[in-house]
Amino acid sequence: MTASDQRKTGRRAVVSGASGLIGRAVVDGLRAADWQVDRLVRGVARSADEIPWSVAEERIDSARLAGCDAVIHLAGDAIAAGRWTADKKARIRDSRVGGTRLLAMALAGLEPRPSVVISASAVGYYGNRGDEVLTEDSARGGGFLAEVCGEWEAAADPARAAGIRVVNLRIGMVLSRVGGALPAMLGPFKLGLGGRLGGGRQFVSWITLGDLVRLILHAIEDERLVGPCNATAPNPVRNAEFTGALARVIRRPAILPAPGWGLRLLLGEMADELLLASVRAVPERAQMTGFAFDESDLVVALRTELAGK
């Protein structure tokens, strides 16, 4: 059997954002489950498993999408990279809303169409909600991220209208030893310079990278999951508990809190929405469909992720 013949057998998925932390792990997870995987890439395709697209130019190679069974859409401009200038906020919004709309319209025009689209969103949808327990039925909050998430999820409507099952994963803080927030936090903590952010009472909704990949694979298979789905571990914790747990795991003190005013001075609006906002999201819909988290205890999750660090 030739390589071309092999690509025509089995189930086929298309992944956007495949070069990112989550995307790389999802591609690996799909391939381990015997899926054939194509990746949406910016610029020119350089291999048989790459499909070119350009959100800015509203261009996508729809013919290469034909015949896929599932689409996992993770692409978007990095939220935590750089201060939120007006230009940065426009890139954050346009890359997510415009990219989702472009992909959803292309998929709606296919025949046959994929059975499911797993489209990333974020717990930023809920805004700053204090101690309120947030399920998928909770109302959208206020602020820039909440507005973006609302538009981001709605941008998949063309796919929904065409009869494709769409799952909007509202992803929390992803814990991984190889990228994202956790490695960035380790430097200061290893030097004994870590501590709570602001008052430390804000809730942090987290999930390990491994559980997130498993949840995505579960969402592909389980037709009961439709619409918003909180991709967070069942036990959100306060920031003071999170930073204290991290300090214990790496055996360093956490005695130097970062005051809210200092974070706002350094990071501006991003400090309030990413670091100081309280989001107590729980994965009600995932658990109702029988999904079981491998890591629901924060200390165990941190020890597992940081083993050997």
Side-chain angles (χ1 to χ4, degrees), residues 46-207:
R46 300 184 184 279
S47 64
D49 68 346
E50 293 185 344
I51 302 172
W53 76 324
S54 171
V55 177
E57 299 173 6
E58 298 185 353
R59 172 176 50 81
I60 189 168
D61 189 346
S62 296
R64 291 285 311 281
L65 297 174
C68 69
D69 300 286
V71 176
I72 300 89
H73 176 43
L74 304 168
D77 192 81
I79 288 178
R83 195 179 180 91
W84 284 2
T85 62
D87 182 64
K88 174 65 173 177
K89 289 169 72 173
R91 292 198 304 274
I92 290 172
R93 185 189 302 271
D94 293 346
S95 65
R96 285 164 173 76
V97 178
T100 302
R101 184 181 298 115
L102 175 65
L103 182 56
M105 291 178 66
L107 296 173
L110 296 178
E111 189 60 49
R113 302 181 183 97
S115 60
V116 61
V117 174
I118 311 298
S119 187
S121 183
V123 294
Y125 177 93
Y126 301 110
N128 184 2
R129 302 290 277 272
D131 291 354
E132 181 182 356
V133 177
L134 301 164
T135 72
E136 292 86 351
D137 293 323
S138 299
R140 182 174 67 82
F144 171 69
L145 283 183
E147 292 175 2
V148 168
C149 287
E151 294 177 23
W152 192 3
E153 294 183 12
D157 283 349
R160 290 188 184 91
I164 301 172
R165 180 168 62 94
V166 176
V167 182
N168 301 106
L169 282 185
R170 294 174 180 167
I171 302 171
M173 178 191 289
V174 179
L175 301 185
S176 168
R177 67 171 66 85
V178 298
L182 195 54
M185 298 173 67
L186 282 179
F189 271 81
K190 285 184 174 181
L191 294 173
L193 302 176
R196 70 178 188 273
L197 303 181
R201 290 190 55 78
Q202 67 274 30
F203 274 94
V204 178
S205 297
W206 59 275
I207 186 170

Side-chain angles (χ1 to χ4, degrees), residues 189-233:
F189 271 81
K190 285 184 174 181
L191 294 173
L193 302 176
R196 70 178 188 273
L197 303 181
R201 290 190 55 78
Q202 67 274 30
F203 274 94
V204 178
S205 297
W206 59 275
I207 186 170
T208 63
L209 180 59
D211 272 341
L212 178 55
V213 172
R214 291 178 54 252
L215 179 55
I216 289 172
L217 296 177
H218 174 76
I220 291 173
E221 301 290 354
D222 197 317
E223 295 182 357
R224 293 173 295 175
L225 277 176
V226 181
C229 175
N230 288 341
T232 60

